[in-house]
Amino acid sequence: GLSPGGEASRRKAYLPEEKQFLVTTNVPCAERAAALEGSVDATGDDDDEWVVSKATSTAAATSEEATAIGDIVAADDDLAALEDDTVAADAATAQTKILKTRTYDLSITYDKYWQTPRMWFYGYAEDSSPLTQPQVFEDIILDYARRTVTFELHPHLATLHASIHPCKHPAAMKRIIDQMRAPPRPDQALFLFLKFIQSVVPTINYDFTLDVLTD
């Protein structure tokens, strides 16, 4: 959502005080960018169940039969206890297998010099520790990493963030617009900008909108 401006000393006078930049946090990033090629969806659940049914008889049981029934009941009790232990063990295993992923805080500022939005990324490892610069580059398409993506001080937060330099934004946006079937409305500009950014960081899952229709 809209941020009131981060550090007060870094607020921009040309922007409303309560609308300095856009920010969203804890955006998941489950895969590295290189994994897009040849990735295999290995998701799925194998819930194999088996049920032990108990048969009862209305006939009078002999002492031997009673002993046998007692053995069966004891065996069923042992089986029930084993099932309880198995369920508890499965629950513990499932807890350890909860998917832990990298996450990113994403923000969009207005670059006055280039007169365009600018995207910033701050990543966290699975244990919530900040990602190193080489780790962040793992989540950026190789063609863009170290070319248009740099690490700079965030203009509002005074911490190092990865950022896609805006110098190529106008040309890239124009190419997208030229390929569209119909001219976009002014209120769709940010939508198209996010589509463009997604091509640079395709595994940071912030975009759940429909694809842009092009010719």
Side-chain angles (χ1 to χ4, degrees):
L2 285 167
S3 171
E7 293 189 7
S9 63
R10 290 181 169 271
R11 291 178 182 170
K12 311 303 179 186
Y14 52 83
L15 294 173
E17 186 171 331
E18 73 283 3
K19 298 179 181 179
Q20 292 284 302
F21 64 102
L22 292 168
V23 61
T24 183
T25 59
N26 297 319
V27 179
C29 181
E31 292 182 290
R32 309 290 68 80
L36 287 182
E37 295 183 1
S39 62
V40 176
D41 185 4
T43 60
D45 296 322
D46 295 325
D47 295 328
D48 297 327
E49 296 182 358
W50 57 282
V51 179
V52 177
S53 60
K54 295 194 289 184
T56 59
S57 173
T58 58
T62 64
S63 59
E64 291 180 357
E65 289 172 331
T67 301
I69 291 172
D71 291 342
I72 291 173
V73 171
D76 281 351
D77 290 342
D78 291 341
L79 182 58
L82 179 61
E83 288 178 330
D84 289 342
D85 291 342
T86 301
V87 169
D90 288 346
T93 300
Q95 183 67 26
T96 61
K97 289 185 177 180
I98 292 176
L99 183 62
K100 294 183 178 180
T101 69
R102 292 181 178 183
T103 58
Y104 278 84
D105 293 345
L106 310 179
S107 58
I108 301 175
T109 62
Y110 179 72
D111 190 298
K112 189 176 183 182
Y113 180 83
W114 294 100
Q115 299 185 20
T116 183
R118 184 169 184 175
M119 194 80 161
W120 302 82
F121 308 86
Y122 194 89
Y124 300 89
E126 291 80 355
D127 62 359
S128 298
S129 61
L131 294 178
T132 64
Q133 292 187 17
Q135 287 174 322
V136 172
F137 280 126
E138 293 173 353
D139 297 324
I140 300 167
I141 290 294
L142 186 60
D143 286 345
Y144 297 100
R146 295 184 175 86
R147 277 180 43 196
T148 59
V149 177
T150 58
F151 281 84
E152 302 178 36
L153 284 178
H154 191 285
H156 296 277
L157 301 176
T159 52
L160 276 179
H161 282 55
S163 178
I164 302 173
H165 197 275
C167 61
K168 302 295 184 181
H169 287 4
M173 292 289 291
K174 186 177 186 304
R175 282 196 299 270
I176 294 174
I177 292 171
D178 288 345
Q179 294 173 8
M180 293 182 66
R181 295 180 181 177
R185 303 188 308 269
D187 62 319
Q188 294 176 316
L190 186 58
F191 168 79
L192 295 175
F193 173 76
L194 292 174
K195 289 293 183 184
F196 158 59
I197 297 297
Q198 188 73 83
S199 68
V200 181
V201 287
T203 59
I204 300 179
N205 298 321
Y206 67 82
D207 185 3
F208 298 98
T209 59
L210 298 175
D211 291 337
V212 175
L213 296 178
T214 59
D215 293 326

